[in-house]
Amino acid sequence: MDNSLNREEAAPVIGPVTPEQMMAAAAIHAESWQDSHRAVCSPEFLALHTPQRQKACLEAAIAAGARLYMLTDGRPVGIVSVRGSCIENLYILPAEQNKGYGSRLLEFAIGQCAGAPTLWVLNTNPGARRLYERRGFRPTGQLVQHGGGLYEQEFRLDKI
């Protein structure tokens, strides 16, 4: 038996999120968002970010022109959206991080951008910043202050 075919079938797949997959995408978003914001948000605020709420946020992003994609590896593992040249909502389930899924989704998203890819990173998320900087993203100098020392910083990839 040729095992190479089985390895190919088992490879992670990235594709557009279908309406039937929207709750799975929202569950990834909710769990990952809560995990990445745990250090800066109250437990009560984190609890508001349910899959149902995040589904509405993702649907609103799609209605505003974003394209939402999901990475599956036997099961849903991560999501990313792209709006023009802006990469948004790159989330990997916490238990699946540091396995290369974020890099795969980032590379895919870069290929979906209309121009020089940009993205925003919370200053409290050094893991995401390392991922983006390893790929060549650099700060643009644009910041959005959220108060209490929390801010988002814009990054851009000038050379694809």
Side-chain angles (χ1 to χ4, degrees), residues 1-153:
M1 183 164 137
D2 182 4
N3 287 331
S4 64
L5 181 59
N6 291 337
R7 281 193 300 273
E8 284 182 32
E9 290 176 353
V13 175
I14 301 171
V17 173
T18 65
E20 296 79 23
Q21 295 172 316
M22 188 56 77
M23 274 309 295
I28 291 168
H29 193 285
E31 182 178 342
S32 302
W33 191 96
Q34 288 176 1
D35 185 68
S36 68
H37 289 73
R38 195 168 313 286
V40 295
C41 297
S42 70
E44 296 78 19
F45 187 69
L46 291 173
L48 296 175
H49 292 79
T50 64
Q52 293 76 17
R53 181 179 186 273
Q54 300 314 101
K55 179 178 182 274
C57 291
L58 292 173
E59 289 172 338
I62 290 168
R67 292 167 287 143
L68 180 62
Y69 302 95
M70 181 184 295
L71 184 146
T72 57
D73 192 3
R75 68 183 184 94
V77 174
I79 61 169
V80 66
S81 63
V82 178
R83 184 187 331 232
S85 293
C86 189
I87 298 170
E88 303 171 316
N89 298 309
L90 199 162
Y91 288 103
I92 306 297
L93 288 171
E96 301 298 334
Q97 292 176 5
N98 299 309
K99 297 180 181 180
Y101 295 129
S103 295
R104 281 182 185 258
L105 270 176
L106 179 59
E107 287 302 319
F108 177 84
I110 289 168
Q112 303 302 308
C113 289
T118 61
L119 47 81
W120 292 84
V121 183
L122 275 176
N123 64 309
T124 58
N125 195 343
R129 183 179 175 134
R130 279 191 305 275
L131 169 67
Y132 303 140
E133 288 179 335
R134 274 196 314 263
R135 179 52 179 86
F137 282 82
R138 298 292 174 251
T140 65
Q142 298 292 321
L143 297 176
V144 173
Q145 297 287 341
H146 294 292
L150 185 66
Y151 63 88
E152 288 180 89
Q153 185 173 22

